[in-house]
Amino acid sequence: MVTSTESRTKFSELLTDVEELRAEVEIVVNSTPVMDAHTHLFPLEFNELCLYGIDALLTYHYLTAETFRSAGIAYDQFWAMSKTEQADLVWKTLFVDNTPTSEATQGIISVLDAFGLDTRAPDLKEARQFFNSQQLAEHIDHVFDIARVSGVVMTNDPLDEAEARLLKGDVTDQRFRSSLRLDRLVNNWEAARRALSREGVSVAAELQPKDVDAIRRFLGENIQRINPVYMAVSLPADFRFPDDDIRDRLLREAIVPAAKEHGLALTLMVGVRRRVNPNLREAGDAVGRADVTAIERLCAQYPDVRFLVTFLSRENQHELCVTARKFNNLMPFGCWWFLNNPSIVSEITRERLELLGPSFIPQHSDARVLEQLIYKWKHARKQIADALCTAYEQLLHNGRAVTRDEISRDVTRMFSGNFNEWITTR
């Protein structure tokens, strides 16, 4: 009698040779489209918020922070420069006067190489000419194709004046999905009150029940307007739940109820310490170890809410995996910000595979400049492929071979299936 498993393997050959197995994993990982679960990218309709090109890439805060370490330039002098002048200085400092060995600088090399540009150029003349010659709509298509990205989730804060203005129009490019970002609402109440007032929502300094109702209506109106795939907030390293502050009340009385009412997942990104060096501006944020038990209590108290969670500290990753084993409404995702380095991505991905199988989202790009999609996914795919190879080789050593179909199933689940399932409960 032929079993169903034996029947399936007739059409999907078992991979028992390690070299063949590794080659197949690399093919599948490098060719499978990915849904990028968290970015700061915007479509061309968002005008100045749609960042692209060599100057935007080189003046990104990852690279400006490195430049200050080597250039010997005063903060005020650098910030007084034009963006073109800043990019020229970054290029000379990190790519001409020094070897670009950091992950951020190697990312620039990967982008230039993808477009056939000289990675050892003494200046930016060729790169600028190339990017300035591109038609933006076609360039977006090209970048998505190179990165093999099927779609991205934007970061859309209704209390950001520029974004709120642009969000009033429809996004025609369906690859750009919206999310409702709530940082301004929950992390600085006085600033939130001023921003809410600009949007016609008046709330008191001491949050009253009528204020909570007004915020619930504000959230509901924006959910209806922009159709987000989830609500999201980044939280400081000292985030606690429960707590005795306005943030806790907003979560309990407005945000979580809105998530339930509209069937939205809630994305929490925990562990940032803002502006430890304000002279660096956007590059001045740092990392802190957070309390994972806050997430445990959220998941336990709201079992009917789905949480997408990432932590900024490497030291929190094992606890997050263990917590995800205990709560089926928790989805770990990505290697965020300071964790987006190959050695750490490799470690975290292997740890998650060992504790969770393929039931997590291995990476998101966090891209703010369009072409960052190219290098962030190229580099991430390598580490994900290596981690999967190790897992499959171990499985083979322990007595069970995998098939091409199984590899494809696992990778598709990790690259898009888990995320799509998580956000389509409405």
Side-chain angles (χ1 to χ4, degrees):
M1 178 179 178
V2 178
T3 66
S4 59
T5 300
E6 291 170 335
S7 176
R8 284 196 298 272
T9 56
K10 286 181 181 178
F11 302 99
S12 185
E13 181 184 356
L14 291 169
L15 298 168
T16 57
D17 179 81
V18 170
E19 290 187 5
E20 185 181 13
L21 172 61
R22 179 166 289 272
E24 184 65 23
V25 170
E26 291 177 354
I27 289 171
V28 173
V29 168
N30 287 322
S31 62
T32 300
V34 66
M35 180 65 196
D36 199 330
H38 168 59
T39 78
H40 298 269
L41 298 176
F42 296 98
L44 56 83
E45 294 98 329
F46 276 52
N47 303 319
E48 70 274 8
L49 296 183
C50 178
L51 301 179
Y52 70 99
I54 192 63
D55 289 345
L57 286 165
L58 289 173
T59 55
Y60 189 61
H61 63 82
Y62 287 6
L63 292 148
T64 58
E66 285 187 45
T67 299
F68 281 115
R69 293 186 60 82
S70 299
I73 188 171
Y75 296 122
D76 290 345
Q77 183 182 353
F78 180 84
W79 298 123
M81 292 177 170
S82 68
K83 186 176 286 290
T84 298
E85 292 170 332
Q86 290 175 358
D88 285 335
L89 178 64
V90 172
W91 180 260
K92 182 178 185 302
T93 302
L94 301 182
F95 297 85
V96 179
D97 295 345
N98 290 279
T99 305
T101 57
S102 71
E103 174 63 8
T105 55
Q106 294 209 35
I108 299 296
I109 297 302
S110 289
V111 171
L112 295 175
D113 184 64
F115 292 115
L117 299 172
D118 184 1
T119 59
R120 298 185 63 89
D123 56 46
L124 297 174
K125 181 178 179 181
E126 178 193 30
R128 284 199 178 107
Q129 287 177 341
F130 170 79
F131 287 109
N132 290 338
S133 69
Q134 302 303 300
Q135 295 295 318
L136 183 52
E138 295 175 2
H139 185 58
I140 291 172
D141 291 342
H142 192 196
V143 169
F144 272 64
D145 287 344
I146 294 172
R148 290 172 299 286
V149 170
S150 59
V152 300
V153 180
M154 302 180 286
T155 296
N156 308 110
D157 187 339
L159 296 182
D160 180 284
E161 289 186 82
E163 288 186 29
R165 170 173 50 84
L166 291 164
L167 279 169
K168 292 177 182 176
D170 292 330
V171 175
T172 57
D173 191 334
Q174 297 303 306
R175 294 170 299 186
F176 289 83
R177 310 288 299 278
S178 64
S179 70
L180 190 62
R181 188 65 175 257
L182 305 174
D183 291 32
R184 282 178 171 80
L185 177 64
V186 304
N187 288 326
N188 184 330
W189 179 237
E190 282 307 309
R193 288 182 63 218
R194 293 191 294 271
L196 285 166
S197 179
R198 290 195 300 268
E199 296 299 315
V201 182
S202 178
V203 293
E206 297 295 329
L207 192 65
Q208 303 298 317
K210 65 180 180 61
D211 300 328
V212 172
D213 292 341
I215 292 170
R216 281 279 302 275
R217 287 194 298 272
F218 175 75
L219 293 175
E221 289 166 1
N222 278 279
I223 288 168
Q224 293 298 322
R225 182 165 61 93
I226 72 172
N227 190 30
V229 296
Y230 57 65
M231 295 193 292
V233 60
S234 62
L235 296 161
D238 61 1
F239 170 67
R240 302 286 182 268
F241 183 87
D243 207 346
D244 184 22
D245 59 10
I246 288 181
R247 180 196 290 128
D248 185 87
R249 286 194 61 195
L250 288 169
L251 282 170
R252 290 175 180 274
E253 299 175 29
I255 295 169
V256 171
K260 290 182 180 180
E261 179 183 353
H262 297 278
L264 288 172
L266 183 56
T267 295
L268 305 176
M269 297 169 283
V270 190
V272 65
R273 295 168 56 232
R274 297 290 184 190
R275 298 299 191 265
V276 299
N277 182 355
N279 290 313
L280 285 172
R281 301 191 180 182
E282 287 189 353
D285 297 342
V287 59
R289 181 169 180 171
D291 180 10
V292 180
T293 63
I295 302 302
E296 288 181 3
R297 288 187 281 272
L298 275 165
C299 289
Q301 187 162 336
Y302 303 107
D304 50 348
V305 175
R306 293 191 171 196
F307 295 92
L308 281 154
V309 177
T310 194
F311 281 86
L312 190 52
S313 171
R314 176 184 177 221
E315 286 70 26
N316 285 134
Q317 301 308 313
H318 181 249
E319 293 172 273
L320 176 60
C321 283
V322 173
T323 303
R325 287 174 61 90
K326 310 307 170 186
F327 295 97
N328 290 339
N329 60 330
L330 171 58
M331 175 69 72
F333 79 100
C335 299
W336 181 33
W337 202 340
F338 301 117
L339 299 176
N340 188 31
N341 295 297
S343 61
I344 303 177
V345 174
S346 174
E347 173 189 311
I348 293 173
T349 306
R350 292 165 193 266
E351 182 175 67
R352 289 172 175 172
L353 281 169
E354 290 168 358
L355 280 165
L356 303 173
S359 65
F360 64 96
I361 297 167
Q363 188 56 302
H364 64 274
S365 73
D366 203 22
R368 193 176 295 269
V369 182
L370 174 67
E371 295 87 1
Q372 289 174 341
L373 287 175
I374 294 173
Y375 93 78
K376 291 201 174 189
W377 281 110
K378 176 185 177 182
H379 296 190
R381 287 176 194 268
K382 181 180 187 305
Q383 301 308 321
I384 294 166
D386 287 346
L388 279 170
C389 285
T390 298
Y392 292 145
E393 288 169 16
Q394 216 168 4
L395 188 60
L396 179 60
H397 177 75
N398 289 329
R400 187 189 191 282
V402 296
T403 68
R404 290 179 170 83
D405 286 349
E406 287 170 337
I407 295 169
S408 180
R409 177 193 63 193
D410 293 345
V411 174
T412 298
R413 180 180 179 186
M414 293 164 65
F415 279 12
S416 61
N418 288 330
F419 177 75
N420 289 332
E421 179 183 351
W422 216 246
I423 65 168
T424 53
T425 58
R426 283 187 282 176

